[in-house]
Amino acid sequence: MKSYISPVLTVLLLAGPALAASYQVSDSIVGPAFYDAFDFQAMADPTHGRVNYVDGSTAQNQNLTYAAGDTFILRADFTKTLDPAGPGRDSVRVKSRKAYTTHVAVFDVRHMPQGCGTWPAVWTTNEASWPNGGEIDILEGINDLTPNSLTLHTSPGCTMPAWRPETGTATQLDCNSAVNGNTGCGVMLNAEQSYGPGFNAAGGGWYAMERTPTFIKIWFWSRNDQSVPADVRNGNDNVNTDSWGTPSALFPNDSCDIQQHFNDHNIIINLTFCGDWAGSAYPPSCPSNCVDHVNNNPADFENAFFDFASLRVYE
Ligand SMILES: *[C@@H]1O[C@H](CO)[C@@H](O)[C@H](O)[C@H]1NC(C)=O
Ligand SMILES: *[C@@H]1O[C@H](CO)[C@@H](O)[C@H](O)[C@H]1NC(C)=O
Ligand SMILES: *[C@@H]1O[C@H](CO)[C@@H](O)[C@H](O)[C@H]1NC(C)=O
């Protein structure tokens, strides 16, 4: 597998040095600045989760979001037992006010939601034109199950080569949301620390995504990873992705016109429960069934929170 030199790799090796990979910070989002950069989306969950997305003032009144210093917390309620006939567990979904095309986004995350029934996601899309405008899932999973899967979802006509210079493991190769039950084209990370309890036990880490007209790359570094680039660790005003090494996932333009399949994207952070994915794949190792568990065991959701140290966007 490693000795196979694909055409993609050859092209990248030849073209690599000529590509500009230096970016300057355009949004440095730390602590309370998350409130200026994101809108709250008190909407119905399109994935049918056992969730009640609240608006911004409710979120702050109930301390479901909390910002101070270099901390931004986004969580679900962990105090209320729910009426099975009423709405789901209070939680938060936020969407960046700005939308981006060519850019680098670096998420410094100390903690991510964990617990049976949780379905957290950090992703980008253009909601008005899904799936034609594409979707990029950076950090997403269910029920504490590792590893994280980095995934694209598109309209028909976007596929990925099997062999790519990436450290993760490719799963489906067709990004088309209309096939394979909208599984998308994913790359599984090989580290236990990439998701859920393993991610949190290590103190979290960094997820970074680079999007250009000709490729999408995603990197993950765990908190104590020796290979985290200095510009990422230090939150520099300039980053050079050429020095970041082999990405966890590479989505090249060989058989997917990136510019055609991806338009301007907002960044979305959401935390839902059960629903189309976490509910249908609720594992036997978790208590009772997903919806009953979410309704009846609020204290089990005390660790269902994101703690962002920063989000920096470079253009
Ligand atoms: C949460 O994020 C995932 C990202 O993949 C998306 O598919 C899903 O629709 C979102 N769910 C909610 C409830 O917003
Ligand atoms: C709100 O949440 C933050 C972060 O978890 C915590 O430090 C703080 O004590 C909470 N405030 C209240 C009033 O519960
Ligand atoms: C992919 O991008 C490269 C530039 O990086 C370009 O030369 C090539 O034509 C593109 N391929 C396709 C199939 O669009």
Side-chain angles (χ1 to χ4, degrees):
M1 193 163 147
K2 293 292 182 243
S3 64
Y4 177 87
I5 306 290
S6 74
V8 187
L9 180 54
T10 311
V11 166
L12 288 173
L13 289 172
L14 295 175
L19 297 171
S22 186
Y23 297 80
Q24 196 168 13
V25 74
S26 56
D27 298 281
S28 186
I29 305 166
V30 179
F34 273 85
Y35 288 121
D36 301 321
F38 284 87
D39 287 320
F40 286 76
Q41 294 183 287
M43 59 188 274
D45 177 359
T47 51
H48 314 105
R50 186 70 186 132
V51 75
N52 179 44
Y53 284 131
V54 301
D55 62 23
S57 54
T58 307
Q60 290 190 59
N61 289 343
Q62 295 188 16
N63 211 27
L64 300 182
T65 58
Y66 169 84
D70 66 351
T71 298
F72 179 71
I73 307 273
L74 182 159
R75 63 155 61 253
D77 169 75
F78 59 98
T79 62
K80 296 176 196 160
T81 300
L82 306 180
D83 174 355
R89 185 156 298 286
D90 289 347
S91 186
V92 176
R93 173 179 164 126
V94 295
K95 171 175 154 178
S96 68
R97 291 186 182 154
K98 282 175 76 171
Y100 307 93
T101 52
T102 294
H103 73 291
V104 172
V106 180
F107 301 83
D108 182 345
V109 188
R110 296 190 189 98
H111 187 280
M112 65 170 293
Q114 69 175 71
C116 286
T118 56
W119 176 1
V122 175
W123 54 301
T124 77
T125 196
N126 183 318
E127 289 185 289
S129 65
W130 192 93
N132 296 327
E135 169 181 338
I136 306 171
D137 299 332
I138 299 167
L139 174 53
E140 183 183 19
I142 50 161
N143 300 318
D144 291 348
L145 301 172
T146 54
N148 185 36
S149 163
L150 311 167
T151 309
L152 307 185
H153 302 265
T154 66
S155 54
C158 173
T159 60
M160 290 296 137
W163 308 114
R164 295 171 255 165
E166 61 190 7
T167 61
T169 306
T171 53
Q172 304 276 359
L173 300 177
D174 194 341
C175 309
N176 180 3
S177 64
V179 302
N180 299 324
N182 189 21
T183 304
C185 53
V187 175
M188 281 191 310
L189 293 186
N190 298 322
E192 191 69 18
Q193 295 90 340
S194 69
Y195 187 82
F199 178 90
N200 294 335
W206 294 264
Y207 272 93
M209 191 256 284
E210 178 183 16
R211 177 178 155 195
T212 76
T214 56
F215 64 79
I216 293 164
K217 293 180 181 175
I218 302 175
W219 289 262
F220 167 67
W221 300 279
S222 184
R223 186 64 61 194
N224 297 315
D225 200 327
Q226 294 303 309
S227 66
V228 55
D231 48 10
V232 170
R233 182 183 290 282
N234 300 331
N236 288 0
D237 285 348
N238 291 281
V239 292
N240 184 343
T241 55
D242 274 350
S243 67
W244 288 3
T246 306
S248 308
L250 166 66
F251 301 99
N253 67 340
D254 298 38
S255 49
C256 177
D257 184 336
I258 302 284
Q259 261 184 306
Q260 185 207 321
H261 285 282
F262 294 86
N263 58 17
D264 51 326
H265 276 193
N266 300 95
I267 297 167
I268 301 181
I269 302 166
N270 62 0
L271 169 57
T272 188
F273 302 95
C274 310
D276 294 347
W277 190 22
S280 62
Y282 192 72
S285 54
C286 282
S288 93
N289 67 66
C290 195
V291 169
D292 287 350
H293 176 58
V294 169
N295 287 347
N296 299 328
N297 300 300
D300 283 1
F301 298 93
E302 190 160 0
N303 288 317
F305 69 92
F306 280 108
D307 179 351
F308 291 95
S310 63
L311 162 56
R312 290 194 172 83
V313 182
Y314 301 82
E315 290 176 284

